[in-house]
Amino acid sequence: MITNAELISEWITEQINLGKSDDDLHNKVFYEGSDIYIINKTNKKGIFDLKCTFGGAVSLKELREQQVLVS
């Protein structure tokens, strides 16, 4: 099974092959459940840092549903 990092790396490669620039891809966010992944460009063209926060995402959908229940 492919890891999330490998999947994101393949997506980055595909986007670069399609003509996207590092600036186009900078700060793209991916998520799975409450885990978030953010890619940041580096000083080297086509090289990105991947920042991961596991269990750090808060569902906006759930917050909206809570607001409706409170109102």
Side-chain angles (χ1 to χ4, degrees), residues 6-63:
E6 292 169 327
L7 184 62
I8 292 168
S9 179
E10 287 181 7
W11 180 86
I12 290 169
T13 300
E14 181 180 305
Q15 296 305 304
I16 289 172
N17 289 338
L18 291 171
K20 299 280 182 162
S21 72
D22 287 7
D23 287 334
D24 293 332
L25 302 178
H26 180 63
N27 282 331
K28 289 292 184 200
V29 178
F30 304 84
Y31 69 93
E32 180 175 60
S34 63
D35 300 340
I36 56 174
Y37 305 82
I38 302 171
I39 57 173
N40 296 306
K41 69 179 184 174
T42 64
N43 293 333
K44 295 181 181 180
K45 185 175 167 78
I47 305 295
F48 293 84
D49 283 332
L50 179 63
K51 306 289 184 193
C52 305
T53 302
F54 299 107
V58 176
S59 169
L60 293 174
K61 180 181 177 185
E62 288 179 17
L63 290 179

Side-chain angles (χ1 to χ4, degrees), residues 56-70:
V58 176
S59 169
L60 293 174
K61 180 181 177 185
E62 288 179 17
L63 290 179
R64 284 188 183 97
E65 289 171 353
Q66 289 175 3
Q67 284 290 336
V68 170
L69 293 176
V70 172

